[in-house]
Amino acid sequence: MSTQNANELNLSRRSALLGGAGLAAAVASIALPAVAAAAPAAAPKGPLRKSASTITTRDGVELYYKDWGHGQPIVFSHGWPLNSDSWESQMLHLANHGFRVIAHDRRGHGRSSQPWEGNDMDHYADDLAQLIEALDLKDAILVGFSTGGGEVARYVGRHGTRRVAKLALVSAVPPLMLQTADNPGGLPLAVFDGIRNAQIANRSQLYLDIPSGPFYGFNRPGAKVSQGLIQSWWMQGMMGGHKNTLDSIKAFSETDFRADLKKFDKPTLVIHGNDDQVVPIDAAGRASAAIVKHAKLIVYPGAPHGLTDTHKDQVNADLLAFARS
């Protein structure tokens, strides 16, 4: 996207679309088109293979990863529909302070393969497990942002904590985003139906609207809007596969992580902003901290969903202190 085009973005229209009560208010009234259900997790089929910047999973999916620095490993799982580049501020900071930092592009996202099937939390967690296995990581600190927090939780649920020293959930989707009879604080299905409908109608526009509005809190009065962050979010999102990112909406919104969180048996840090319009803190960060035994909850006053960018210095300091503790 050119600088001229970026300057011509109609922020007021996008803020109207995604402003006020945030993502829920913007999309709740949009009808859902037919979307195929995600395939169940498949059994391993072949050997696990690794190169300097990719692994090939046992079901044949190539995953891109970056591996910087030396020391105790910290593994980052990114949010929807982004990729490992979204962690660059945290990775640079922690690598410069004596840690080995690793992040992969989730299947269907970024520079990884775009398989038609397997775009669900079980596959995401198994991919993370195979990355950890391929790099032979031990005493790893797992950090998940938004959808990545679900990936980390499901990893613990399916693979345990034998290779894990600590866990961190940042603006993360667990325990369950969807409103159900036993989860009344969740968001209505119509919210996620609307996101799917908007992606099918015009994915590129949706991927401008979300960061221009609720993701970074740019729809709030007096917000200092960063075109760079908006363009970076759009670019990362558009690198992902259309089918993959579409399926992932169901994965992050409808997967129930409550049983997974009960299996957390390592020190756990929960970071969440209390002005998160995308993943509301009461149904997410506070609820997760209540389930995980001895979890430490840090609330960022006024912080939006995308606080790893808007409050990156504070996030960096808190993650470093947690990793060293």
Side-chain angles (χ1 to χ4, degrees):
M1 180 183 296
S2 69
T3 302
Q4 180 179 356
N5 289 339
N7 289 336
E8 292 173 354
L9 291 175
N10 190 335
L11 286 176
S12 62
R13 181 179 62 79
R14 292 200 305 277
S15 296
L17 172 65
L18 291 166
L23 196 58
V27 299
S29 63
I30 307 178
L32 170 67
V35 178
K45 297 177 181 179
L48 178 62
R49 300 190 300 275
K50 178 177 76 75
S51 74
S53 60
T54 65
I55 69 164
T56 301
T57 65
R58 294 186 177 94
D59 63 344
V61 175
E62 187 173 84
L63 300 177
Y64 170 86
Y65 71 95
K66 55 185 71 177
D67 185 351
W68 302 345
H70 306 280
Q72 183 179 8
I74 304 178
V75 184
F76 295 87
S77 292
H78 64 78
W80 172 92
L82 307 174
N83 61 48
S84 58
D85 293 347
S86 63
W87 282 115
E88 62 184 9
S89 295
Q90 288 69 46
M91 293 181 69
L92 184 65
H93 181 75
L94 291 164
N96 280 332
H97 284 82
F99 290 89
R100 178 184 178 188
V101 294
I102 298 141
H104 69 293
D105 292 356
R106 184 173 298 120
R107 65 167 59 205
H109 297 66
R111 290 141 291 205
S112 294
S113 299
Q114 299 183 6
W116 183 256
E117 298 177 338
N119 305 297
D120 55 74
M121 279 294 168
D122 285 350
H123 278 89
Y124 297 164
D126 292 351
D127 290 347
L128 177 59
Q130 290 178 76
L131 175 69
I132 291 171
E133 176 189 346
L135 299 180
D136 194 24
L137 303 181
K138 299 179 178 67
D139 294 321
I141 301 170
L142 305 188
V143 183
F145 170 80
S146 196
T147 298
E151 180 177 287
V152 167
R154 184 50 52 93
Y155 169 89
V156 173
R158 288 174 69 82
H159 301 279
T161 57
R162 181 175 63 89
R163 291 178 176 267
V164 177
K166 300 175 183 178
L167 300 146
L169 303 175
V170 181
S171 302
V173 298
L176 173 60
M177 283 199 73
L178 184 68
Q179 184 181 74
T180 63
D182 64 347
N183 188 49
L187 297 173
L189 181 62
V191 172
F192 307 109
D193 290 351
I195 300 171
R196 280 184 282 256
N197 187 68
Q199 171 152 333
I200 290 172
N202 190 335
R203 182 165 75 119
S204 183
Q205 187 60 55
L206 177 68
Y207 289 3
L208 288 173
D209 293 340
I210 292 174
S212 299
F215 192 90
Y216 294 117
F218 291 161
N219 56 336
R220 293 307 198 202
K224 183 179 179 181
V225 176
S226 168
Q227 291 295 333
L229 286 181
I230 294 169
Q231 291 176 41
S232 177
W233 203 101
W234 175 89
M235 180 183 69
Q236 290 181 52
M238 293 304 294
M239 287 172 68
H242 190 11
K243 171 66 159 56
N244 310 97
T245 53
L246 188 66
D247 285 354
S248 191
I249 297 167
K250 180 179 180 67
F252 75 66
S253 65
E254 297 184 33
T255 304
D256 189 339
F257 300 102
R258 287 174 288 191
D260 302 307
L261 293 174
K262 291 177 181 178
K263 295 182 180 181
F264 278 39
D265 58 0
K266 302 291 184 178
T268 302
L269 175 66
V270 179
I271 294 174
H272 219 106
N274 68 1
D275 192 31
D276 191 328
Q277 302 171 69
V278 178
V279 182
I281 186 173
D282 288 336
R286 288 196 175 109
S288 289
I291 294 173
V292 177
K293 293 180 180 178
H294 310 300
K296 178 182 179 180
L297 172 64
I298 301 179
V299 177
Y300 287 17
H305 188 60
L307 48 70
T308 53
D309 285 308
T310 62
H311 293 64
K312 67 180 181 180
D313 291 340
Q314 186 176 354
V315 174
N316 291 350
D318 286 336
L319 288 179
L320 180 58
F322 178 64
R324 286 176 166 173
S325 64

